[in-house]
Amino acid sequence: MKKYILALDEGTTSARSILFDRDFHVVSMAQHEIPQIYPRPGLVEHNPAEIYACQYASMTECVAKSGVSPDEIAGIGITNQRETTVVWEKATGKPVYNAIVWQCRRTADYCEELERRGYADLIARKTGLRPDAYFSGTKIKWILDNVKGAREKAECGELLFGTVDTWLLWKLTGGKAHVTDRTNASRTMLYNIHTHEWDRELCELLTIPPQMLPEVRSSSEIYGYIGLMGAEIPVCGIAGDQQAALYGQGCTQPGDLKITYGTGCFLLANTGETPVLSRHGLVTTVSATCENEPVQYALEGSVFVGGAVIQWLRDGLRFIESAAESESVARKARDNGGVYIVPAFAGLGAPHWNMRARGVITGLTRGAGAEHIVRAALESIAYQSEDVISAMREDTGKSINALKADGGASANNLLMQFQADISNLNVIRPAQTEATAAGAAMLAGKAVGFCQSPFSDKSSVTVFKPDMTLDRREKLLNGWRRAVKSCLLSEEE
Ligand code: ADP
């Protein structure tokens, strides 16, 4: 019986590797920063060779410093920044262009054109997504249109496309596996989430030769083997970061919801075997599902400015010295004192989708102090999340069972309690905050019989229970809605 399982967690800012034991406790971790490339405002790239080098270095370092023999590692799971697009030469493995990162807005005009030409409905029906520069499809098209000779080579089958999972797997297996999983495929705007195939009509619309697309598999099965310090280890789990976190949080039943409170907040609600198309600005995505199990779906909504509003308090306003201090400062105020912040620094995401909205602070009186502003900033994270949760409730017509929280800002007890109060739900925070990497490891573990998954350690969770009267909740939510309205109004002037 092998004792360990390894997760490769390739994020936007760093590549990490984490070795877990059978109880999914972290045994060892190593991390390498990924250099960010900003050619112009709004454009973001990574060097694919650096992505691989950072991931490989973190993997060998993580295993070496653990003192664990690679023979003891049952398998490897990959989780990755989603949508980021790499195109490389099949024969040489040489990327034809930098990786175009999910945040990159270079194809925004083309996406608006797709919308003008009336393709939004078709895209939503087939892929569950809205035409947006965020997703991989238009990024591939951009590379084929802008790199000399790329389109001709792609048409002759000489180029391969992959999201970061595919790129890493291809490199790790020495070019043997050109594979992705359904969760990553569902973020390309080329994958039909109902038929589970690359969609011919969408490939034609975006002029993408289907032969460059990877084979799509489940999120938990053996894709290939890699040689690591003399051992042969199967790579047997793949999921995009948010779906890996959903799985790692044990959200495998319809109605289960997780929120990752990071720089932004990502909310995913499992909708079971039914893909729910949103009428409230959410996207439909495929959940991480294992081989031979029915495919499950999720509704997804994101909040652009989550923990980032706390960074602004620290670095912009200098009201706090550290993110953690936001809690003690906010506790100095009994309540928000009527102050609301809508941190629409870069527009508002789901369910409002207003790119031109800008932030506002409302309800200031002479009595408002730094503690009220800090409290209002923390509360804004919960209000924005509640807006997405309520869109999810309306889209599914079902109640939400509970919220499972992870990510950096989930350490804040005041925020967690306020979320429970304002959403009238239990908020459950596990001691294991590495939900994304743990999810990838659990998917890999399941494929090789290492664990029944998802593994859950119920003993170590903290539960925040709602403790607010209905009247109070309504009053606060009304104040928030008024603040959001004024932020949308400020955009019209
Ligand atoms: P990411 O993966 O997006 O880089 P993390 O999950 O590491 O994000 O979380 C970092 C974010 O969480 C930062 O924006 C930071 O301001 C916020 N944060 C971290 N600790 C706290 C805290 N105790 N209270 C509130 N916000 C916090």
Side-chain angles (χ1 to χ4, degrees):
M1 284 279 252
K2 306 209 179 211
K3 296 198 194 97
Y4 304 96
I5 195 110
L6 182 62
L8 309 185
D9 179 0
E10 202 292 316
T12 311
T13 52
S14 73
R16 304 190 310 154
S17 295
I18 303 185
L19 191 66
F20 292 95
D21 64 14
R22 287 195 159 268
D23 295 325
F24 287 89
H25 293 141
V26 175
V27 174
S28 168
M29 202 240 278
Q31 176 162 2
H32 281 248
E33 292 293 308
I34 307 271
Q36 309 290 312
I37 304 166
Y38 301 109
R40 283 208 311 278
L43 307 194
V44 191
E45 299 176 359
H46 292 159
N47 178 341
E50 280 172 344
I51 293 180
Y52 178 67
C54 289
Q55 192 63 64
Y56 195 85
S58 78
M59 174 172 74
T60 49
E61 228 174 276
C62 171
V63 174
K65 80 179 183 197
S66 70
V68 165
S69 156
D71 288 327
E72 290 285 332
I73 300 174
I76 296 176
I78 298 176
T79 180
N80 55 295
Q81 50 166 324
R82 304 175 301 172
E83 298 100 11
T84 297
T85 296
V86 188
V87 175
W88 67 95
E89 282 179 1
K90 196 185 204 166
T92 62
K94 204 169 155 283
V96 302
Y97 193 77
N98 273 339
I100 302 185
V101 176
W102 58 274
Q103 297 149 320
C104 186
R105 304 302 302 167
R106 79 182 63 205
T107 59
D109 289 348
Y110 177 66
C111 290
E112 277 175 18
E113 186 190 319
L114 285 175
E115 200 142 7
R116 267 200 313 278
R117 284 163 59 199
Y119 286 111
D121 268 3
L122 178 86
I123 290 171
R125 242 183 316 111
K126 291 187 170 209
T127 68
L129 308 175
R130 40 193 292 129
D132 195 283
Y134 184 21
F135 307 113
S136 318
T138 61
K139 299 181 196 287
I140 309 176
K141 175 175 160 47
W142 187 92
I143 292 177
L144 298 185
D145 288 346
N146 289 279
V147 175
K148 203 162 161 268
R151 181 166 293 286
E152 292 71 25
K153 283 191 188 159
E155 274 159 10
C156 297
E158 292 172 20
L159 297 188
L160 299 177
F161 151 76
T163 36
V164 169
D165 54 314
T166 306
W167 167 243
L168 290 176
L169 180 67
W170 195 86
K171 293 287 283 180
L172 288 167
T173 60
K176 287 206 183 82
H178 182 225
V179 169
T180 190
D181 85 307
R182 297 185 200 113
T183 66
N184 278 292
S186 76
R187 314 296 296 179
T188 58
M189 227 169 83
L190 298 171
Y191 183 70
N192 189 314
I193 60 171
H194 309 284
T195 62
H196 303 294
E197 283 167 345
W198 296 116
D199 191 273
R200 192 186 286 255
E201 191 181 359
L202 292 178
C203 288
E204 270 169 28
L205 176 66
L206 297 192
T207 62
I208 291 171
Q211 58 267 37
M212 70 190 297
L213 303 176
E215 184 189 343
V216 185
R217 306 252 203 101
S218 78
S219 297
S220 172
E221 60 179 280
I222 297 177
Y223 315 102
Y225 290 82
I226 71 166
L228 182 65
M229 303 166 183
E232 277 262 291
I233 307 178
V235 183
C236 42
I238 298 181
D241 51 10
Q242 297 310 321
Q243 284 97 332
L246 188 71
Y247 195 82
Q249 284 272 29
C251 296
T252 53
Q253 298 302 314
D256 287 349
L257 170 66
K258 74 92 196 170
I259 308 190
T260 301
Y261 294 93
T263 310
C265 301
F266 287 89
L267 289 86
L268 270 77
N270 186 315
T271 61
E273 291 166 39
T274 322
V276 176
L277 287 193
S278 178
R279 283 166 289 113
H280 299 91
L282 310 175
V283 300
T284 313
T285 199
V286 179
S287 296
T289 24
C290 304
E291 200 179 12
N292 305 324
E293 284 182 9
V295 174
Q296 292 198 333
Y297 296 87
L299 268 178
E300 173 170 337
S302 31
V303 169
F304 298 150
V305 179
V309 72
I310 305 303
Q311 288 166 327
W312 172 70
L313 292 179
R314 187 193 60 195
D315 306 335
L317 298 186
R318 297 179 201 276
F319 279 9
I320 48 174
E321 299 221 323
S322 67
E325 205 200 342
S326 61
E327 182 166 345
S328 55
V329 173
R331 282 194 195 282
K332 288 188 194 149
R334 206 167 40 86
D335 57 25
N336 68 358
V339 178
Y340 293 85
I341 298 182
V342 186
F345 299 153
L348 278 176
H352 310 286
W353 287 110
N354 191 318
M355 294 308 117
R356 278 184 263 271
R358 290 295 174 264
V360 294
I361 303 181
T362 64
L364 289 176
T365 61
R366 183 61 188 82
E371 66 276 20
H372 296 101
I373 306 270
V374 173
R375 191 170 184 120
L378 272 175
E379 291 181 354
S380 77
I381 303 174
Y383 285 123
Q384 294 181 93
S385 301
E386 167 54 23
D387 283 349
V388 177
I389 294 166
S390 105
M392 287 175 167
R393 285 194 187 106
E394 289 188 32
D395 275 337
T396 58
K398 293 206 176 85
S399 62
I400 304 256
N401 305 343
L403 285 179
K404 296 198 177 160
D406 58 82
S410 72
N412 192 304
N413 292 328
L414 187 141
L415 170 61
M416 294 297 97
Q417 184 58 50
F418 190 72
Q419 187 75 70
D421 289 341
I422 214 67
S423 298
N424 197 23
L425 281 170
N426 284 346
V427 174
I428 301 167
R429 183 181 62 198
Q432 166 66 277
T433 51
E434 297 290 354
T436 307
M442 288 170 194
L443 287 162
K446 175 134 183 194
V448 291
F450 179 84
C451 59
Q452 290 300 317
S453 65
F455 176 93
S456 77
D457 183 0
K458 294 201 175 60
S459 60
S460 53
V461 301
T462 311
V463 181
F464 297 86
K465 297 197 164 117
D467 180 24
M468 186 180 269
T469 63
L470 190 65
D471 274 3
R472 175 96 185 122
R473 182 179 310 125
E474 268 314 304
K475 189 163 171 262
L476 288 171
L477 280 170
N478 280 335
W480 167 253
R481 287 182 198 122
R482 271 198 306 276
V484 170
K485 218 182 232 168
S486 69
C487 142
L488 299 177
L489 284 181
S490 69
E491 169 254 340
E492 281 164 14
E493 283 148 17

